[in-house]
Each structure stands twice: as structure tokens, then as C-alpha cells.
Amino acid sequence: MSRLLPLLLLATACAPATPVPEEAKPMAQPNNATYGTDANLAPSAPDAVLRYADHPRGFAELRLPQGDGPFPLAVIYHGGCWKTGIASQAYMAPLATRWQQLGIATLNVDYREVGDGGGWPGSFADWAASARLIDEIAAKHPIDRARVTLVGHSAGALPAQWLASAQGADGPIGTRQPLKARAAIVLDGPGDVGAERSAFDALCQFSAVDPFIGAPPEAARDRYAAISPATHAPQLSELLFVQAKLPAPSPATQSALAAGGTKVTVRENIGMSHFAIITPGHPVYAANEAAMLSALKGGE
């Protein structure tokens, strides 16, 4: 056998290679699909994958509950410190699946970040384009358009609040009206990116805010002001913060967020994991689920 092995290896090396079928390229890089999470719940297959832009990350996964509806809709924006290669929509799929099981339709959105065309203004353009899917979905599926909730984990807190805010000509994509949404849920994210820049950078363990905005505050005060609730408060009925690693927004930020008539509620889970609060089956998530469902369902 020892004499035959070299001959077999030689024959194998000289044999014509059989072409291996090329797999279709995924819509987006895996971006550490379950980064930070202990997926106690396997994600369900989306009912549809909808495109809002022609770049690889311009898509969102729609999951619909069983039954006739009409269903509340949660539009979910992932975190990842706005830096490509860290995360994608995939790690939010277990949470989207859990809510689907509880009667909430979910739209789990991927988007460009710093490194693949995102940042200022690319990420904002993606968020605005993805939000246009809401009315398309409501026209085709039993969605309660009056119960739309914008949800953001970590860096996703920004689109969850920014989309519901009016913007002037100085905004990242110019003048725009606020998206019609009833509520927003921020899951361990900032209430004001500029005011909480140091804390968010510390959470990311690298400078995340300045590369995303394109400059530090002293060089881009107009950009930071344009997306601050102190300048443009979100137009929502309810805004729920479920914090863990990040502290509660300051009283000044909470007042700014409430200036448009929004009821702001903060639930602190001091010392808890940044990912535990979004992981179905984890005790920290379980302790906050009822409050999330109340916001998602419109307080019913």
C-alpha cells in the first residue's frame, strides 16, 4: 500500500480536473452573520427578499406572521458601527423571526456602510430608499400601515430615529419629509450621535462616528447638527430605548427627542451584554420583550 500511494497521488494530480459548478454569489458579504449573538432561535426563511437599490446590499427580508392580519410592521436596521465587514442584517434574523412568531411582520434591512459606499451620504440614501418599501408591502400584504415601528440595534439607532425626522437642505440627502411611523425602538444605541460620540466609539472600540460622518465635529458641525434631535426631532408617538452597554441618553437629549410630541421611555439594563437584549431566549431579552411588543403593537 505504501508503494501504491505515491502512484495514486501522481495519477490524481495528472488527471483532468472536473469543473466544479460555480455557486451563485450571495447578495451581500456574510459580514459575520451571527456576530455577537447566541442564536437560540433558528431564523425562519424570509417570505420574500425585496430590493430597494441595485447595489449588493440593497435588499431587505420580509417575514409575515401566520393568519389574516392586518399585522404591525417592524422595520429593522442592524448595527455594526457603520463599518463594512462587521455585521449585516443576518444577525437580526432571529429577533425578526421571534417577532414574526408573535404576530409582527418584519422587514430586516441591509445597507451600505463605510468601506462599501456607505457613510455620509450613502447609508442615508439607502435608509430612505429602503423605507419606500413600506408602502409597497402594505399595498400587497395585510399590513397595518398605522402601526409601523422603526427598530435599530446599536448603529441602527440612527436610521430608526432619522427616518422619522424632517430634514432641510443641509441634511445628508437634502430636504425630505419625515417617514410616517408610529413608533421607534432603539436597542442599545445612541439618541444623539454627536452628543454620544465618545460613548459610541468606546462601545465599538475604534473611531466609528467620525469616519461615518466624514469629519470630526469641529470640522463638520453642520453635518452633526443636521442629524441631531436638537435640530430635527423625530415625529413619533412613542420612542423606546432598551439600553445595556450604552447609558441612557442625557436629559437634554431626551427632551430634544420629545420635542415633537414623542413619548420617550428608557429601560436600562446596566452591565448587560450588547447582544443579549436582541437574542430571543436570553433572560435579558425576555425581561424586555413585553415592553417591545407594547411599542410594536401600538399599546394594544
Side-chain angles (χ1 to χ4, degrees):
M1 183 66 180
S2 60
R3 294 179 180 178
L4 289 175
L5 184 58
L7 294 175
L8 289 172
L9 292 174
L10 179 61
T12 301
C14 295
T18 301
V20 177
E22 184 177 352
E23 293 184 4
K25 294 182 179 179
M27 290 187 178
Q29 295 176 350
N31 271 5
N32 297 314
T34 57
Y35 181 79
T37 62
D38 175 13
N40 296 309
L41 177 65
S44 63
D47 291 282
V49 178
L50 307 176
R51 298 206 65 82
Y52 65 82
D54 60 5
H55 58 74
R57 302 188 70 180
F59 70 94
E61 299 171 344
L62 175 66
R63 290 176 170 85
L64 297 168
Q66 293 184 348
D68 297 329
F71 306 112
L73 175 66
V75 185
I76 300 171
Y77 293 93
H78 65 81
C81 297
W82 305 300
K83 183 177 181 179
T84 190
I86 294 179
S88 73
Q89 93 298 335
Y91 85 92
M92 299 298 289
L95 179 64
T97 298
R98 171 63 177 170
W99 288 352
Q100 176 192 29
Q101 294 174 344
L102 296 173
I104 310 295
T106 61
L107 186 67
N108 189 16
V109 182
D110 200 15
Y111 58 87
R112 292 174 296 172
E113 301 164 289
V114 174
D116 63 5
W120 185 294
S123 296
F124 295 90
D126 284 359
W127 299 334
S130 71
R132 289 195 284 272
L133 292 174
I134 296 171
D135 287 332
E136 295 178 21
I137 293 167
K140 297 178 182 178
H141 302 283
I143 299 300
D144 185 349
R145 188 61 183 80
R147 291 190 292 166
V148 171
T149 301
L150 305 172
V151 180
H153 176 241
S154 193
L158 180 55
Q161 298 167 88
W162 176 80
L163 283 169
S165 304
Q167 290 281 279
D170 59 344
I173 58 172
T175 302
R176 57 176 295 277
Q177 293 301 307
L179 174 70
K180 181 184 174 184
R182 197 201 74 82
I185 299 175
V186 171
L187 300 166
D188 212 17
D192 185 326
V193 169
E196 298 168 50
R197 170 172 167 261
S198 296
F200 192 71
D201 282 352
L203 174 68
C204 293
Q205 299 182 345
F206 59 84
S207 176
V209 177
D210 291 1
F212 173 75
I213 299 295
E218 59 271 17
R221 295 189 187 281
D222 55 339
R223 290 190 176 187
Y224 283 85
I227 62 171
S228 170
T231 308
H232 301 288
Q235 305 299 302
L236 298 163
S237 294
E238 183 178 357
L239 173 54
L240 171 65
F241 284 84
V242 182
Q243 301 296 77
K245 289 294 185 183
L246 287 177
S250 70
T253 294
Q254 291 188 47
S255 294
L257 289 166
T262 301
K263 176 187 175 183
V264 179
T265 303
V266 181
R267 295 176 63 90
E268 292 191 86
N269 301 271
I270 297 171
M272 296 295 103
S273 162
H274 186 56
F275 293 95
I277 60 169
I278 64 164
T279 302
H282 194 287
V284 177
Y285 169 78
N288 290 280
E289 184 179 71
M292 297 182 201
L293 290 176
S294 178
L296 291 166
K297 294 184 177 182
E300 65 177 22

